[in-house]
PDB file of all heavy atoms in Angstrom:
ATOM      1  N   ASP A  81      68.450  95.540 176.789  1.00 98.00           N
ATOM      2  CA  ASP A  81      67.635  94.333 176.834  1.00 98.00           C
ATOM      3  C   ASP A  81      68.407  93.352 177.719  1.00 98.00           C
ATOM      4  O   ASP A  81      69.621  93.512 177.912  1.00 98.00           O
ATOM      5  CB  ASP A  81      67.451  93.786 175.417  1.00 98.00           C
ATOM      6  CG  ASP A  81      66.775  92.433 175.431  1.00 98.00           C
ATOM      7  OD1 ASP A  81      65.702  92.316 176.057  1.00 98.00           O
ATOM      8  OD2 ASP A  81      67.328  91.486 174.833  1.00 98.00           O
ATOM      9  N   CYS A  82      67.744  92.352 178.268  1.00 96.00           N
ATOM     10  CA  CYS A  82      68.422  91.469 179.230  1.00 96.00           C
ATOM     11  C   CYS A  82      68.874  90.162 178.598  1.00 96.00           C
ATOM     12  O   CYS A  82      70.060  89.922 178.415  1.00 96.00           O
ATOM     13  CB  CYS A  82      67.517  91.223 180.432  1.00 96.00           C
ATOM     14  SG  CYS A  82      67.080  92.753 181.307  1.00 96.00           S
ATOM     15  N   ASP A  83      67.896  89.271 178.270  1.00 93.00           N
ATOM     16  CA  ASP A  83      68.232  87.957 177.743  1.00 93.00           C
ATOM     17  C   ASP A  83      68.894  88.086 176.377  1.00 93.00           C
ATOM     18  O   ASP A  83      68.346  88.731 175.490  1.00 93.00           O
ATOM     19  CB  ASP A  83      66.953  87.108 177.626  1.00 93.00           C
ATOM     20  CG  ASP A  83      67.163  85.726 178.190  1.00 93.00           C
ATOM     21  OD1 ASP A  83      68.190  85.101 177.861  1.00 93.00           O
ATOM     22  OD2 ASP A  83      66.319  85.277 178.980  1.00 93.00           O
ATOM     23  N   GLY A  84      70.060  87.505 176.223  1.00 93.00           N
ATOM     24  CA  GLY A  84      70.787  87.591 174.950  1.00 93.00           C
ATOM     25  C   GLY A  84      71.747  88.769 174.909  1.00 93.00           C
ATOM     26  O   GLY A  84      72.528  88.889 173.964  1.00 93.00           O
ATOM     27  N   VAL A  85      71.651  89.650 175.911  1.00 97.00           N
ATOM     28  CA  VAL A  85      72.575  90.805 175.969  1.00 97.00           C
ATOM     29  C   VAL A  85      73.418  90.721 177.249  1.00 97.00           C
ATOM     30  O   VAL A  85      74.641  90.694 177.197  1.00 97.00           O
ATOM     31  CB  VAL A  85      71.802  92.144 175.942  1.00 97.00           C
ATOM     32  CG1 VAL A  85      72.766  93.317 176.050  1.00 97.00           C
ATOM     33  CG2 VAL A  85      70.968  92.248 174.667  1.00 97.00           C
ATOM     34  N   LEU A  86      72.713  90.683 178.400  1.00 97.00           N
ATOM     35  CA  LEU A  86      73.404  90.610 179.702  1.00 97.00           C
ATOM     36  C   LEU A  86      73.691  89.169 180.085  1.00 97.00           C
ATOM     37  O   LEU A  86      74.685  88.857 180.733  1.00 97.00           O
ATOM     38  CB  LEU A  86      72.546  91.236 180.793  1.00 97.00           C
ATOM     39  CG  LEU A  86      72.030  92.662 180.568  1.00 97.00           C
ATOM     40  CD1 LEU A  86      71.184  93.093 181.757  1.00 97.00           C
ATOM     41  CD2 LEU A  86      73.192  93.624 180.358  1.00 97.00           C
ATOM     42  N   TRP A  87      72.753  88.306 179.723  1.00 95.00           N
ATOM     43  CA  TRP A  87      72.879  86.880 180.058  1.00 95.00           C
ATOM     44  C   TRP A  87      72.130  86.041 179.051  1.00 95.00           C
ATOM     45  O   TRP A  87      71.342  86.550 178.241  1.00 95.00           O
ATOM     46  CB  TRP A  87      72.331  86.615 181.475  1.00 95.00           C
ATOM     47  CG  TRP A  87      70.886  86.992 181.664  1.00 95.00           C
ATOM     48  CD1 TRP A  87      69.798  86.420 181.072  1.00 95.00           C
ATOM     49  CD2 TRP A  87      70.361  88.037 182.501  1.00 95.00           C
ATOM     50  NE1 TRP A  87      68.639  87.037 181.487  1.00 95.00           N
ATOM     51  CE2 TRP A  87      68.954  88.027 182.369  1.00 95.00           C
ATOM     52  CE3 TRP A  87      70.938  88.975 183.363  1.00 95.00           C
ATOM     53  CZ2 TRP A  87      68.118  88.911 183.046  1.00 95.00           C
ATOM     54  CZ3 TRP A  87      70.089  89.861 184.036  1.00 95.00           C
ATOM     55  CH2 TRP A  87      68.701  89.819 183.880  1.00 95.00           C
ATOM     56  N   ILE A 113      65.364  96.761 180.159  1.00 97.00           N
ATOM     57  CA  ILE A 113      63.991  96.540 179.693  1.00 97.00           C
ATOM     58  C   ILE A 113      63.908  95.182 178.991  1.00 97.00           C
ATOM     59  O   ILE A 113      64.757  94.847 178.176  1.00 97.00           O
ATOM     60  CB  ILE A 113      63.499  97.676 178.780  1.00 97.00           C
ATOM     61  CG1 ILE A 113      64.394  97.847 177.570  1.00 97.00           C
ATOM     62  CG2 ILE A 113      63.437  98.982 179.526  1.00 97.00           C
ATOM     63  CD1 ILE A 113      63.861  98.907 176.639  1.00 97.00           C
ATOM     64  N   SER A 114      62.891  94.426 179.363  1.00 97.00           N
ATOM     65  CA  SER A 114      62.832  93.038 178.891  1.00 97.00           C
ATOM     66  C   SER A 114      61.417  92.642 178.503  1.00 97.00           C
ATOM     67  O   SER A 114      60.460  93.034 179.178  1.00 97.00           O
ATOM     68  CB  SER A 114      63.327  92.122 180.004  1.00 97.00           C
ATOM     69  OG  SER A 114      63.119  90.776 179.636  1.00 97.00           O
ATOM     70  N   ASN A 115      61.304  91.856 177.450  1.00 96.00           N
ATOM     71  CA  ASN A 115      60.000  91.293 177.095  1.00 96.00           C
ATOM     72  C   ASN A 115      59.657  90.068 177.926  1.00 96.00           C
ATOM     73  O   ASN A 115      58.535  89.564 177.854  1.00 96.00           O
ATOM     74  CB  ASN A 115      59.966  90.917 175.605  1.00 96.00           C
ATOM     75  CG  ASN A 115      59.506  92.073 174.743  1.00 96.00           C
ATOM     76  OD1 ASN A 115      59.232  93.160 175.242  1.00 96.00           O
ATOM     77  ND2 ASN A 115      59.424  91.847 173.437  1.00 96.00           N
ATOM     78  N   ASN A 116      60.609  89.567 178.697  1.00 94.00           N
ATOM     79  CA  ASN A 116      60.322  88.417 179.564  1.00 94.00           C
ATOM     80  C   ASN A 116      59.262  88.839 180.581  1.00 94.00           C
ATOM     81  O   ASN A 116      59.475  89.757 181.393  1.00 94.00           O
ATOM     82  CB  ASN A 116      61.605  87.985 180.273  1.00 94.00           C
ATOM     83  CG  ASN A 116      61.386  86.730 181.100  1.00 94.00           C
ATOM     84  OD1 ASN A 116      60.270  86.431 181.524  1.00 94.00           O
ATOM     85  ND2 ASN A 116      62.443  85.972 181.311  1.00 94.00           N
ATOM     86  N   ASP A 241      57.259  87.622 171.157  1.00 94.00           N
ATOM     87  CA  ASP A 241      58.505  86.945 170.752  1.00 94.00           C
ATOM     88  C   ASP A 241      58.176  85.477 170.458  1.00 94.00           C
ATOM     89  O   ASP A 241      57.647  84.778 171.316  1.00 94.00           O
ATOM     90  CB  ASP A 241      59.548  86.976 171.873  1.00 94.00           C
ATOM     91  CG  ASP A 241      60.027  88.384 172.173  1.00 94.00           C
ATOM     92  OD1 ASP A 241      59.180  89.261 172.421  1.00 94.00           O
ATOM     93  OD2 ASP A 241      61.245  88.591 172.183  1.00 94.00           O
ATOM     94  N   PHE A 244      62.680  81.913 172.246  1.00 78.00           N
ATOM     95  CA  PHE A 244      63.774  82.473 173.009  1.00 78.00           C
ATOM     96  C   PHE A 244      64.945  81.486 173.040  1.00 78.00           C
ATOM     97  O   PHE A 244      64.743  80.284 173.142  1.00 78.00           O
ATOM     98  CB  PHE A 244      63.372  82.978 174.414  1.00 78.00           C
ATOM     99  CG  PHE A 244      62.716  81.981 175.311  1.00 78.00           C
ATOM    100  CD1 PHE A 244      63.497  81.213 176.190  1.00 78.00           C
ATOM    101  CD2 PHE A 244      61.345  81.837 175.344  1.00 78.00           C
ATOM    102  CE1 PHE A 244      62.890  80.316 177.044  1.00 78.00           C
ATOM    103  CE2 PHE A 244      60.734  80.930 176.180  1.00 78.00           C
ATOM    104  CZ  PHE A 244      61.506  80.171 177.033  1.00 78.00           C
ATOM    105  N   PRO A 245      66.158  82.039 172.875  1.00 72.00           N
ATOM    106  CA  PRO A 245      67.324  81.158 172.823  1.00 72.00           C
ATOM    107  C   PRO A 245      67.633  80.636 174.217  1.00 72.00           C
ATOM    108  O   PRO A 245      67.434  81.339 175.208  1.00 72.00           O
ATOM    109  CB  PRO A 245      68.437  82.081 172.326  1.00 72.00           C
ATOM    110  CG  PRO A 245      67.994  83.456 172.687  1.00 72.00           C
ATOM    111  CD  PRO A 245      66.517  83.461 172.766  1.00 72.00           C
ATOM    112  N   LYS A 275      58.137  95.267 173.774  1.00 98.00           N
ATOM    113  CA  LYS A 275      58.802  95.691 172.539  1.00 98.00           C
ATOM    114  C   LYS A 275      58.320  94.839 171.366  1.00 98.00           C
ATOM    115  O   LYS A 275      58.054  93.649 171.568  1.00 98.00           O
ATOM    116  CB  LYS A 275      60.322  95.496 172.690  1.00 98.00           C
ATOM    117  CG  LYS A 275      60.952  96.369 173.745  1.00 98.00           C
ATOM    118  CD  LYS A 275      62.390  95.928 174.033  1.00 98.00           C
ATOM    119  CE  LYS A 275      62.436  94.666 174.843  1.00 98.00           C
ATOM    120  NZ  LYS A 275      63.782  94.199 175.196  1.00 98.00           N
ATOM    121  N   ILE A 298      70.289  98.990 173.553  1.00 98.00           N
ATOM    122  CA  ILE A 298      71.194  97.881 173.214  1.00 98.00           C
ATOM    123  C   ILE A 298      70.405  96.571 173.273  1.00 98.00           C
ATOM    124  O   ILE A 298      69.835  96.233 174.329  1.00 98.00           O
ATOM    125  CB  ILE A 298      72.380  97.825 174.200  1.00 98.00           C
ATOM    126  CG1 ILE A 298      73.122  99.170 174.204  1.00 98.00           C
ATOM    127  CG2 ILE A 298      73.335  96.685 173.827  1.00 98.00           C
ATOM    128  CD1 ILE A 298      74.212  99.279 175.254  1.00 98.00           C
ATOM    129  N   GLY A 299      70.349  95.848 172.177  1.00 98.00           N
ATOM    130  CA  GLY A 299      69.564  94.613 172.168  1.00 98.00           C
ATOM    131  C   GLY A 299      70.127  93.574 171.217  1.00 98.00           C
ATOM    132  O   GLY A 299      71.040  93.856 170.434  1.00 98.00           O
ATOM    133  N   ASP A 300      69.551  92.368 171.292  1.00 96.00           N
ATOM    134  CA  ASP A 300      70.031  91.255 170.441  1.00 96.00           C
ATOM    135  C   ASP A 300      69.021  90.869 169.377  1.00 96.00           C
ATOM    136  O   ASP A 300      69.244  89.936 168.617  1.00 96.00           O
ATOM    137  CB  ASP A 300      70.319  90.020 171.313  1.00 96.00           C
ATOM    138  CG  ASP A 300      69.049  89.441 171.910  1.00 96.00           C
ATOM    139  OD1 ASP A 300      68.419  90.149 172.723  1.00 96.00           O
ATOM    140  OD2 ASP A 300      68.661  88.310 171.545  1.00 96.00           O
ATOM    141  N   ASN A 301      67.876  91.585 169.317  1.00 95.00           N
ATOM    142  CA  ASN A 301      66.788  91.163 168.434  1.00 95.00           C
ATOM    143  C   ASN A 301      66.330  92.334 167.559  1.00 95.00           C
ATOM    144  O   ASN A 301      65.888  93.366 168.066  1.00 95.00           O
ATOM    145  CB  ASN A 301      65.638  90.662 169.330  1.00 95.00           C
ATOM    146  CG  ASN A 301      64.529  89.989 168.539  1.00 95.00           C
ATOM    147  OD1 ASN A 301      64.244  90.386 167.394  1.00 95.00           O
ATOM    148  ND2 ASN A 301      63.899  88.998 169.126  1.00 95.00           N
ATOM    149  N   THR A 304      62.399  93.179 167.788  1.00 96.00           N
ATOM    150  CA  THR A 304      61.840  93.762 169.024  1.00 96.00           C
ATOM    151  C   THR A 304      62.708  94.937 169.504  1.00 96.00           C
ATOM    152  O   THR A 304      62.295  96.090 169.422  1.00 96.00           O
ATOM    153  CB  THR A 304      61.728  92.691 170.132  1.00 96.00           C
ATOM    154  OG1 THR A 304      63.008  92.079 170.313  1.00 96.00           O
ATOM    155  CG2 THR A 304      60.693  91.658 169.773  1.00 96.00           C
ATOM    156  N   ASP A 305      63.936  94.651 169.951  1.00 98.00           N
ATOM    157  CA  ASP A 305      64.777  95.677 170.581  1.00 98.00           C
ATOM    158  C   ASP A 305      65.117  96.825 169.620  1.00 98.00           C
ATOM    159  O   ASP A 305      64.976  98.004 169.970  1.00 98.00           O
ATOM    160  CB  ASP A 305      66.111  95.070 171.044  1.00 98.00           C
ATOM    161  CG  ASP A 305      65.909  93.878 171.943  1.00 98.00           C
ATOM    162  OD1 ASP A 305      64.997  93.924 172.774  1.00 98.00           O
ATOM    163  OD2 ASP A 305      66.662  92.896 171.809  1.00 98.00           O
ATOM    164  N   VAL A 319      73.844  93.631 169.597  1.00 98.00           N
ATOM    165  CA  VAL A 319      74.891  92.691 170.001  1.00 98.00           C
ATOM    166  C   VAL A 319      74.551  91.322 169.404  1.00 98.00           C
ATOM    167  O   VAL A 319      73.374  90.986 169.222  1.00 98.00           O
ATOM    168  CB  VAL A 319      75.053  92.585 171.541  1.00 98.00           C
ATOM    169  CG1 VAL A 319      75.581  93.888 172.118  1.00 98.00           C
ATOM    170  CG2 VAL A 319      73.759  92.173 172.213  1.00 98.00           C
ATOM    171  N   THR A 321      74.945  88.225 170.518  1.00 94.00           N
ATOM    172  CA  THR A 321      74.973  87.112 171.474  1.00 94.00           C
ATOM    173  C   THR A 321      73.585  86.524 171.714  1.00 94.00           C
ATOM    174  O   THR A 321      73.376  85.774 172.673  1.00 94.00           O
ATOM    175  CB  THR A 321      75.553  87.585 172.819  1.00 94.00           C
ATOM    176  OG1 THR A 321      75.016  88.884 173.127  1.00 94.00           O
ATOM    177  CG2 THR A 321      77.058  87.656 172.789  1.00 94.00           C
ATOM    178  N   GLY A 322      72.626  86.877 170.857  1.00 91.00           N
ATOM    179  CA  GLY A 322      71.261  86.394 171.102  1.00 91.00           C
ATOM    180  C   GLY A 322      70.570  85.941 169.836  1.00 91.00           C
ATOM    181  O   GLY A 322      71.086  85.105 169.089  1.00 91.00           O
ATOM    182  N   VAL A 323      69.415  86.544 169.569  1.00 90.00           N
ATOM    183  CA  VAL A 323      68.521  86.057 168.501  1.00 90.00           C
ATOM    184  C   VAL A 323      69.027  86.399 167.100  1.00 90.00           C
ATOM    185  O   VAL A 323      69.097  85.543 166.229  1.00 90.00           O
ATOM    186  CB  VAL A 323      67.091  86.637 168.720  1.00 90.00           C
ATOM    187  CG1 VAL A 323      66.193  86.330 167.533  1.00 90.00           C
ATOM    188  CG2 VAL A 323      66.488  86.084 170.019  1.00 90.00           C
TER     189      VAL A 323
HETATM  190 MG1   MG B   1      66.929  89.613 174.110  1.00 76.95          MG
END
Side-chain angles (χ1 to χ4, degrees):
D81 172 52
C82 300
D83 226 313
V85 178
L86 307 179
W87 59 67
I113 58 177
S114 172
N115 271 1
N116 185 335
D241 294 53
F244 56 92
K275 295 168 286 181
I298 303 173
D300 67 296
N301 189 326
T304 54
D305 306 321
V319 293
T321 42
V323 172

